[in-house]
Amino acid sequence: MKTSTSGVVGFLGLGVMGREMARNLAQAGYSVRAYDIVSGAGESLRQYGVDVVNDIPSAVSDADIVISMLPDTPQVDEIVRGPQGLLSHPPRGKLYVDMSTIAPEATRNLSQALAAVGVTMLDAPVSGGPIGAKNGTLTIMVGGEAAGFAQATPYLQAMGTTLNHVGGSGAGQTVKLCNQLICGINIQAICEALALARAWDINLPQMREVLLGGSAASWMLDKLGPAMIDGDSSAGFRIDLMMKDLRLVLEAAQKHPVPLPATALVATQYQNAQAYGEGANGNQALFKVYDRLTGQQTAKAN
Ligand code: NAD
């Protein structure tokens, strides 16, 4: 197993999460060659010694490990199967870790295709959002072969603090989708509680404090509750991304049929937010749906 921080990382996808993760790898001592389809997306990384390149082969060909942080399944498919992708340009180190949140079944198919050219693929989606990415404190859920996990671990440790190998190919994505299902339903529950309390003129900040001391306490109520109460819609984890993840949950529940009525209902609420042009808002701004349903607003609503 690798123990030093020497090594070349090909990093694909320099958005809200990826650019912070690439920076952490560079600051941990790795040589990072980074690519994003949007030219200029990685400019801020040059000051950390990241080599920002203009195409996928330049980023991946000499890499010991390739890491991607892309929006959804089609983009990951493109960087694997596309004309410039990993099947045509397998990395020197034969190891690929996809940290995006995508479909578990597609992950398995891509993993099998890559195995045929000798490349091990891990799925390693994350929880912790932009702050976790910035601070290198992400929770990382890894699916794939144990040997690949051991090889990837030092690199993952530069980006996260909680690493768990949860099973074979696609298992990381499945666990991440379960994480999203719980988060989405929990936010919905908080919206309902806040809307009811607001209608009954309850002091919402005080109610949040009270509930955090009891069995209704949750990460969402703790971290996102204040922004919900203040009507602060600023983005952390975006509504568009949550809707994408809930879609992936519902697709997975069709493949191996499992009724998920609460998830289906919450997805409708997120669609309502998107229909009102609120997809770029932070997840906590699902509460705006309740502003519309009840005709009430919180004091500082924007
Ligand atoms: P983002 O949209 O900010 O970044 C994605 C980047 O990928 C963009 O810069 C885009 O230009 C680039 N890209 C798209 N297609 C590409 C291609 N073919 N080749 C190279 N680059 C390409 O998204 P994000 O917020 O960084 O999220 C990335 C992934 O992480 C998503 O799957 C998301 O669900 C997951 N995630 C996000 C958060 C969050 O809070 N933002 C938290 C946990 C997990």
Side-chain angles (χ1 to χ4, degrees):
M1 182 162 88
K2 186 177 183 306
T3 53
S4 73
T5 53
S6 63
V8 178
V9 181
F11 202 105
L12 307 175
L14 305 171
V16 171
M17 300 289 285
R19 76 173 78 99
E20 301 294 346
M21 294 157 70
R23 178 186 52 72
N24 278 324
L25 284 160
Q27 290 188 307
Y30 295 111
S31 300
V32 180
R33 292 179 192 158
Y35 169 75
D36 193 287
I37 201 165
V38 174
S39 67
E43 278 315 302
S44 66
L45 292 173
R46 291 189 195 277
Q47 63 185 303
Y48 301 105
V50 173
D51 185 8
V52 183
V53 299
N54 293 324
D55 54 47
I56 297 174
S58 305
V60 305
S61 295
D62 288 335
D64 294 299
I65 182 171
V66 173
I67 296 173
S68 58
M69 196 55 174
L70 299 163
D72 198 352
T73 311
Q75 292 79 25
V76 176
D77 197 87
E78 173 70 18
I79 63 115
V80 173
R81 297 187 203 268
Q84 293 199 328
L86 298 177
L87 287 174
S88 320
H89 301 86
R92 180 165 53 86
K94 308 282 189 199
L95 182 60
Y96 168 47
V97 183
D98 176 39
M99 301 186 75
S100 332
T101 305
I102 71 165
E105 190 183 22
T107 293
R108 283 193 196 148
N109 292 339
L110 291 171
S111 171
Q112 281 171 9
L114 284 162
V117 296
V119 175
T120 299
M121 176 178 175
L122 303 177
D123 44 305
V126 307
S127 179
I131 294 173
K134 185 170 186 228
N135 296 336
T137 56
L138 292 168
T139 293
I140 307 176
M141 303 148 235
V142 186
E145 289 174 11
F149 176 62
Q151 207 183 333
T153 291
Y155 299 93
L156 298 178
Q157 283 171 334
M159 298 176 279
T161 42
T162 309
L163 313 183
N164 285 293
H165 183 222
V166 295
S169 178
Q173 295 295 355
T174 306
V175 172
K176 169 70 181 180
L177 294 186
C178 292
N179 183 81
Q180 296 307 84
L181 173 166
I182 293 168
C183 290
I185 293 173
N186 190 225
I187 290 188
Q188 165 75 10
I190 296 167
C191 286
E192 292 194 9
L194 291 176
L196 182 65
R198 181 172 61 184
W200 282 78
D201 289 329
I202 298 292
N203 179 314
L204 298 184
Q206 186 193 25
M207 181 177 92
R208 173 180 160 273
E209 290 293 333
V210 170
L211 297 184
L212 283 174
S215 55
S218 70
W219 188 98
M220 293 290 167
L221 183 62
D222 184 20
K223 305 285 195 258
L224 299 185
M228 294 169 88
I229 291 167
D230 288 347
D232 174 0
S233 302
S234 54
F237 186 74
R238 301 184 298 280
I239 279 173
D240 281 342
L241 282 179
M242 184 54 120
M243 188 56 226
K244 182 261 299 184
D245 290 353
L246 294 176
R247 171 180 54 77
L248 293 172
V249 172
L250 293 169
E251 286 171 1
Q254 283 182 341
K255 184 75 189 169
H256 292 292
V258 177
L260 302 178
T263 307
L265 177 109
V266 175
T268 305
Q269 300 290 77
Y270 276 92
Q271 280 171 328
N272 181 307
Q274 286 183 316
Y276 279 85
E278 296 166 356
N281 283 349
N283 201 22
Q284 76 285 353
L286 191 70
F287 195 38
K288 279 178 169 284
V289 174
Y290 276 86
D291 292 350
R292 287 191 284 277
L293 288 173
T294 61
Q296 292 193 302
Q297 286 200 334
T298 45
K300 298 184 213 164
N302 51 20

